[in-house]
Amino acid sequence: MASLAEAGKYPSMSLAERMANVTGTAVTSESVAHFSKANPADPRDDELSEELQGIFESLKKCLDLRKKYMHLSLQCPGDNPKDLDDWDVYPPHVKTSSYDASATDKEQLAKAHVFVFEECKIPGPEDKKRVYGINAEGTYQIYANESDLKHDRNPAYEVPSVKDYFQDQDFILNCISDGPMKSFAFRRLRYLESKFQMYVLLNEYQEMADSKRVPHRDFYNVRKVDTHVHHSSCMNQKHLLRFIKAKLKKRPDEVVIFRDGKNLTLAQVFESLHLTAYDLSIDTLDMHAHKDSFHRFDKFNLKYNPVGESRLREIFMKTDNFVQGRYLAELTQEVFSDLEASKYQMAEYRVSIYGRDKKEWDKLASWVVDNKLFSENVRWLIQVPRLYNVYKAQNLLQNFQQLLENIYEPLFEVTRDPTTHPKLHIFLQRVIGFDSVDDESKPERRTYKKYPSPKNWDIALNPPYSYYLYYMYSNLCSLNGWRKDRKFNTFVLRPHAGEAGDTDHLTSAFLTSHSINHGILLRKVPAVQYLYYLDQIGIAMSPLSNNALFLNYERNPFFTFFQRGLNVSLSTDDPLQFHFTKEPLIEEFSVATQIWKLSSTDQCEIARNSVLQSGWEMQFKKHWLGESCHLPGPAGNAIHKTNVPNIRLAYRYQTLMEERYMVYGSINRAPNSPELPQQQQQQPLETAAYLQEQQMQRQSYEQDFGDGGDVELDPAHVPMPLNTERSRHNFPQHAINPVDLPKGGSGGGGQRSVGSMAMSALSALRNTVSGGGAGAGNGGGGSKVTSPYMAPEPLIGMSGDSLDATDADVAGGGGGGNAGGTGAGGHIGSPFRKNTGLIGIEADDINREHLLLSAPALPVIPVGTSVSRMAPTSNSYIIAEDIDFDQAEYK
């Protein structure tokens, strides 16, 4: 093998090959940047490092922008008052199982679930007497008095301006269209996918064994949520057909519609269609999305009409009709009964608010409350169709601001004084958030160079997707702030995004939305996909729906996203159009399992993701997933409830932390950077004084260990660790990597083992100061200062079967004091044995105890037994042939 300096003379050798040949370790982009210089002292070889630096800075700024938008709109975990333990749910949550209860208990259980309007608590008006109004930008704001409202000053809550929003969106669009950024994101995603496949190959049997030891729990009885389903098509075709036939036979003379200037009974309606109950069949209804609806969203919308007749849709599938939506309410109750019978399936149904009239909210709330449509298995989302152009053509609206007023003014009014709309207040307690729906494939024309305010948007053309989303988001900012102050539940934004059309929709959703639906276009924009991964944005995917409308099933990216670690869940979208069975969510899982060969652990992980993405109160999630489900990684897992082994979640957590650490820990890494604080300024490592100091350290170590001394870097030459600000994932930024390097070192009274010396050599390679006790007391004091720009290496330290496990001191990082005792970390087991000494976990990492018990076994590339074989020489070059090792040592 050639030395690294010699390898630099051959441009045909890739940087990855050069680095892998020298270090014998896994190839990551940041380590490639470090080892890409044939001569580290050559300033002409900084191109790749500067390029990576720019990529990391762009990624960090994108993530920081999203963090700002989420905090301002109160869409982060813990922002919603309903997640508090003392939140009152009515009807109350009953934990008793109806299957195990006696007959008397079942009667009491049924009574506990009965909704009684008179028992609901309706708060009074706010004591502060604040006022609300719409400002010049078209956003509702809260003010202390009428004078502030009139002059638009001192708003109670901060809302990003529309100018800032479009500038931030342009910044993200520029980042994701950058060539190096796209290449970097594509390679990282491919790496994550391959890494998961390696993990499965090594740990599949361990996961299976862990699952078999869990009593009672399997895929069928873990909680799973249908995170994306539209209420008007929540039943299957056979259910709807059976219901229509029953009504036609039992109540044919009931007046159901006013059409052509007269009232018509149900029998008269079917006579006008020349149909009888006997004639009806699944084929006659013609509501299934067949081949003719592929890339034809207009034809798909027509599938909502039974027998192709809009009058039947109005009778059976509308909440606001001649019979006050009674038929749809009865259908909904039957669907609720099916969900409650299955016990473990939940659904988040979308109901529509169109924005044509302010009375829509009261009508919808009355329909829910009067028909007692409450269930522990169901929560609601409000979908707002993007149909301004349709209403404008019908002269229902004069400008876009009227649409916003019709949607949001009743919500601000009921927040100020719930007694003005008591039924709406009760209904909103079961509402999770808002969805934006319509055909995304519609072309969006840039009519204006600079978009006008909603009040001035009076043309017939529909505003673009990003315009809609901003005004939904901005009004949620002030609404959520007011509702949280009043201790009411807040809402999240979960729009359809990335189903079709422009990929810019995904960037708008990235800034403004808690999670999205569909997201299949992420496969075309790797940089945005990588951002969605880094922030674990929820994606509710519906492969069967996409198969009928936009993307063949075998090309759906769901399984690829899942392997890479994106936060994905399965949902049904429209069971009436896409599914055949009584349990559409199980049908969705069944098809996905058959096509992609999902394991039981995969299924249960996806089900767990769906619960975490959902908007249920935290007390429900704790009951379904465990008391610590709000914590990240394996610390938030209870295998006896989720049936997901800790080893799987430990892998997911570690991998995510490594990627985030790489991005956040790689900023401002250059010495003497003007952006670094003064105390972090460092002198260049290549100075003569520094090289002389290194030589003196080497001579000192050779006196202790012969020729096998490793080089310890002075902490003054290592960048300071990251700050302790806590992120939205609820862990310290400085502990963003749970698996790091060994903390223990060799004291004055202990001899270091083979494993300890090898890890110290790797420590030196990764610019880490490790060990060095004083040799007194009970153990040598270890110190560690980790370079934040060298990403953690999980392949070293999670499994070390290639190291000499028979060494008496293999479990320790080096003895200290007189006893020569065992330090922290070092003992590592076989690929299918629990690791009891995972090295280098931060003491304050919330997943510490779980990672110690359930660390996944990943492959290890052997490292030499002599420290000098891996230590840099005085000329800062690493000689590749010096890494050779005796294979007999590892048999």
Side-chain angles (χ1 to χ4, degrees):
M1 276 188 190
S3 68
L4 183 61
E6 294 170 350
K9 301 176 183 178
Y10 303 99
S12 61
M13 288 189 69
S14 68
L15 298 177
E17 289 173 323
R18 285 156 57 187
M19 192 202 72
N21 286 338
V22 170
T23 64
T25 186
V27 180
T28 56
S29 56
E30 63 283 352
S31 48
V32 168
H34 180 73
F35 286 102
S36 62
K37 299 181 181 182
N39 184 354
D42 188 354
R44 297 173 299 176
D45 201 16
D46 284 334
E47 181 179 354
L48 181 59
S49 298
E50 292 177 359
E51 183 176 272
L52 275 176
Q53 181 79 359
I55 291 173
F56 292 144
E57 288 175 349
S58 296
L59 287 171
K60 182 178 182 296
K61 184 173 180 181
C62 291
L63 293 171
D64 289 344
L65 284 174
R66 171 174 168 80
K67 182 179 179 181
K68 180 188 79 170
Y69 278 74
M70 291 299 100
H71 278 295
L72 291 178
S73 58
L74 299 177
Q75 296 187 72
C76 295
D79 286 337
N80 200 328
K82 74 176 182 181
D83 289 336
L84 300 176
D85 292 335
D86 59 352
W87 179 261
D88 186 21
V89 178
Y90 183 82
H93 174 41
V94 181
K95 297 184 179 182
T96 306
S97 172
S98 59
Y99 296 102
D100 302 328
S102 63
T104 305
D105 292 336
K106 287 183 179 180
E107 292 178 3
Q108 295 177 352
L109 189 65
K111 291 180 181 178
H113 286 86
V114 173
F115 173 82
V116 180
F117 175 72
E118 289 72 21
E119 295 180 1
C120 296
K121 300 176 182 177
I122 309 297
E126 186 183 36
D127 296 333
K128 296 181 180 179
K129 304 296 183 183
R130 291 188 289 183
V131 296
Y132 65 89
I134 195 164
N135 62 18
E137 287 194 340
T139 298
Y140 276 93
Q141 264 293 6
I142 317 301
Y143 302 91
N145 50 57
E146 291 288 348
S147 177
D148 287 346
L149 170 61
K150 182 178 180 180
H151 296 91
D152 190 14
R153 65 190 179 196
N154 303 324
Y157 308 104
E158 181 182 356
V159 178
S161 68
V162 64
K163 179 181 178 181
D164 291 341
Y165 166 75
F166 280 109
Q167 287 179 344
D168 293 338
Q169 187 182 21
D170 286 342
F171 172 81
I172 296 178
L173 290 172
N174 289 333
C175 288
I176 65 175
S177 60
D178 178 57
M181 171 75 83
K182 291 192 288 187
S183 298
F184 173 81
F186 176 76
R187 291 175 180 273
R188 295 307 296 180
L189 292 169
R190 288 289 299 273
Y191 160 71
L192 291 171
E193 186 177 352
S194 301
K195 185 178 179 181
F196 178 79
Q197 293 167 357
M198 176 66 77
Y199 163 83
V200 171
L201 287 173
L202 292 171
N203 296 282
E204 184 176 10
Y205 294 106
Q206 181 65 55
E207 289 184 342
M208 193 181 304
D210 290 346
S211 296
K212 287 180 179 178
R213 285 195 292 267
V214 179
H216 173 67
R217 200 66 67 182
D218 54 37
F219 165 71
Y220 287 98
N221 53 23
V222 297
R223 263 71 178 195
K224 53 194 77 70
V225 178
D226 194 346
T227 48
H228 170 210
V229 54
H230 300 277
H231 170 254
S232 57
S233 59
C234 63
M235 70 297 293
N236 60 68
Q237 293 180 77
K238 188 66 177 177
H239 188 174
L240 179 61
L241 177 64
R242 195 166 53 241
F243 182 85
I244 293 175
K245 282 189 172 184
K247 290 298 180 184
L248 191 54
K249 290 179 179 179
K250 296 178 180 178
R251 310 189 68 171
D253 298 328
E254 183 175 6
V255 177
V256 293
I257 193 173
F258 179 81
R259 184 64 65 93
D260 300 327
K262 59 181 179 180
N263 294 328
L264 299 177
T265 64
L266 191 60
Q268 290 173 333
V269 170
F270 276 88
E271 285 177 7
S272 66
L273 299 176
H274 307 289
L275 290 172
T276 65
Y278 182 77
D279 295 329
L280 292 176
S281 68
I282 295 294
D283 295 332
T284 309
L285 285 182
D286 190 27
M287 302 187 75
H288 200 275
H290 296 289
K291 294 180 180 180
D292 59 345
S293 61
F294 194 72
H295 282 286
R296 289 293 305 274
F297 205 85
D298 55 337
K299 283 193 174 183
F300 169 73
N301 281 332
L302 296 177
K303 294 292 182 180
Y304 279 91
N305 298 327
V307 201
E309 292 292 333
S310 60
R311 68 185 73 181
L312 292 184
R313 179 180 182 179
E314 181 180 344
I315 294 170
F316 291 101
M317 304 175 67
K318 291 289 185 180
T319 61
D320 181 21
N321 54 21
F322 192 86
V323 292
Q324 285 78 48
R326 182 160 41 85
Y327 284 175
L328 182 59
E330 292 175 12
L331 261 171
T332 303
Q333 289 284 17
E334 294 177 6
V335 174
F336 283 10
S337 298
D338 291 341
L339 286 175
E340 292 166 357
S342 68
K343 183 180 178 181
Y344 297 101
Q345 296 179 48
M346 321 294 163
E348 297 177 326
Y349 291 132
R350 271 89 172 149
V351 287
S352 296
I353 290 292
Y354 298 94
R356 296 171 298 194
D357 188 359
K358 294 178 182 178
K359 296 180 180 178
E360 290 178 7
W361 279 106
D362 286 328
K363 292 178 180 179
L364 179 60
S366 297
W367 177 76
V368 171
V369 172
D370 294 344
N371 291 287
K372 300 183 178 180
L373 299 178
F374 295 90
S375 171
E376 283 193 4
N377 297 64
V378 173
R379 292 294 182 269
W380 303 97
L381 275 94
I382 303 301
Q383 63 180 20
V384 181
R386 298 187 295 274
L387 297 176
Y388 162 79
N389 57 329
V390 176
Y391 309 145
K392 175 67 175 177
Q394 298 172 353
N395 291 322
L396 297 176
L397 301 173
Q398 298 303 315
N399 51 52
F400 190 75
Q401 181 168 310
Q402 289 186 8
L403 181 77
L404 297 175
E405 291 174 353
N406 292 339
I407 294 172
Y408 288 103
E409 186 165 323
L411 299 180
F412 282 90
E413 187 174 340
V414 74
T415 301
R416 181 180 61 180
D417 185 3
T419 58
T420 58
H421 305 272
K423 292 182 180 179
L424 178 56
H425 175 76
I426 295 169
F427 170 61
L428 290 178
Q429 291 180 329
R430 296 294 179 112
V431 171
I432 294 166
F434 287 79
D435 191 354
S436 178
V437 299
D438 197 24
D439 181 10
E440 286 190 73
S441 63
K442 291 179 180 178
E444 296 179 350
R445 302 175 185 174
R446 186 65 186 252
T447 312
Y448 298 98
K449 183 177 180 180
K450 180 181 178 181
Y451 291 126
S453 65
K455 186 176 182 179
N456 295 321
W457 192 291
D458 54 4
I459 62 174
L461 291 180
N462 213 26
Y465 180 94
S466 56
Y467 192 89
Y468 265 102
L469 220 56
Y470 169 75
Y471 283 103
M472 293 187 71
Y473 165 84
S474 62
N475 284 286
L476 274 185
C477 286
S478 50
L479 179 63
N480 280 346
W482 201 5
R483 290 185 66 85
K484 184 177 182 180
D485 286 350
R486 296 222 59 193
K487 294 182 172 54
F488 299 159
N489 61 301
T490 58
F491 309 117
V492 296
L493 186 56
R494 291 168 51 179
H496 284 51
E499 182 181 18
D502 201 331
T503 54
D504 293 2
H505 299 179
L506 291 165
T507 60
S508 299
F510 175 78
L511 278 178
T512 61
S513 305
H514 173 271
S515 55
I516 65 170
N517 308 308
H518 292 299
I520 55 176
L521 288 185
L522 284 171
R523 73 191 193 279
K524 295 185 177 182
V525 275
V528 181
Q529 185 184 148
Y530 189 57
L531 286 170
Y532 271 68
Y533 167 74
L534 288 174
D535 213 53
Q536 288 293 287
I537 300 174
I539 309 171
M541 304 188 71
S542 308
L544 285 177
S545 168
N546 303 143
N547 181 65
L549 291 176
F550 293 109
L551 189 68
N552 290 333
Y553 203 100
E554 64 274 10
R555 297 180 57 203
N556 196 284
F558 170 81
F559 188 57
T560 301
F561 291 174
F562 174 73
Q563 288 181 308
R564 292 173 178 176
L566 276 76
N567 183 12
V568 294
S569 63
L570 282 173
S571 58
T572 58
D573 196 359
D574 294 286
L576 184 62
Q577 277 76 31
F578 307 125
H579 299 80
F580 293 92
T581 64
K582 189 178 180 180
E583 296 182 314
L585 185 57
I586 298 298
E587 184 179 344
E588 193 81 43
F589 271 93
S590 175
V591 176
T593 300
Q594 293 294 333
I595 298 296
W596 290 309
K597 297 179 175 59
L598 301 178
S599 67
S600 175
T601 301
D602 295 338
Q603 292 174 305
C604 293
E605 184 185 3
I606 295 168
R608 180 179 181 271
N609 287 347
S610 71
V611 175
L612 293 175
Q613 289 178 20
S614 71
W616 259 261
E617 295 82 357
M618 185 56 68
Q619 56 185 279
F620 283 90
K621 293 184 180 181
K622 288 182 177 180
H623 176 57
W624 297 340
L625 302 180
E627 289 296 323
S628 61
C629 67
H630 58 287
L631 301 178
N637 186 46
I639 189 173
H640 64 281
K641 287 182 175 289
T642 65
N643 201 37
V644 181
N646 277 345
I647 187 175
R648 170 67 67 91
L649 293 183
Y651 164 79
R652 294 290 194 195
Y653 176 74
Q654 291 166 357
T655 304
L656 174 63
M657 292 305 100
E658 290 159 15
E659 296 298 312
R660 290 179 61 85
Y661 185 80
M662 179 184 66
V663 172
Y664 281 94
S666 301
I667 308 301
N668 303 332
R669 66 175 185 231
N672 295 332
S673 170
E675 299 180 7
L676 282 174
Q678 187 63 35
Q679 63 270 23
Q680 296 188 32
Q681 301 286 340
Q682 306 143 19
Q683 67 182 51
L685 298 183
E686 296 83 4
T687 61
Y690 175 71
L691 294 176
Q692 183 179 3
E693 182 183 351
Q694 288 290 87
Q695 183 66 23
M696 293 176 62
Q697 289 188 11
R698 184 175 296 105
Q699 292 175 357
S700 175
Y701 270 88
E702 288 175 355
Q703 293 177 3
D704 294 334
F705 302 106
D707 294 335
D710 65 325
V711 179
E712 302 287 354
L713 301 182
D714 194 306
H717 301 293
V718 181
M720 298 295 289
L722 299 175
N723 60 48
T724 57
E725 177 190 357
R726 288 188 173 269
S727 72
R728 66 184 293 270
H729 293 281
N730 197 30
F731 50 80
Q733 291 282 6
H734 73 273
I736 204 164
N737 165 40
V739 182
D740 215 315
L741 294 171
K743 296 182 178 180
S746 199
Q751 180 66 27
R752 303 205 297 182
S753 68
V754 171
S756 175
M757 290 189 294
M759 293 304 298
S760 296
L762 292 168
S763 174
L765 276 176
R766 294 180 58 215
N767 290 345
T768 302
V769 177
S770 69
N778 295 329
S783 65
K784 180 176 79 76
V785 183
T786 305
S787 168
Y789 60 82
M790 290 301 291
E793 182 46 73
L795 305 184
I796 305 165
M798 297 172 86
S799 173
D801 296 322
S802 57
L803 300 178
D804 187 0
T806 62
D807 194 296
D809 199 26
V810 72
N818 297 328
T822 300
H827 177 271
I828 306 168
S830 70
F832 303 109
R833 189 167 64 240
K834 297 295 183 184
N835 296 330
T836 59
L838 193 65
I839 53 180
I841 304 176
E842 294 287 350
D844 58 349
D845 192 285
I846 202 166
N847 287 282
R848 178 181 176 83
E849 59 176 302
H850 301 277
L851 296 175
L852 286 170
L853 295 174
S854 304
L858 294 178
V860 172
I861 299 174
V863 297
T865 58
S866 173
V867 179
S868 62
R869 297 178 182 177
M870 296 291 287
T873 58
S874 58
N875 61 2
S876 298
Y877 300 153
I878 304 172
I879 308 304
E881 53 264 27
D882 285 347
I883 310 175
D884 294 341
F885 56 90
D886 186 358
Q887 293 288 349
E889 297 180 16
Y890 301 99
K891 292 182 180 178

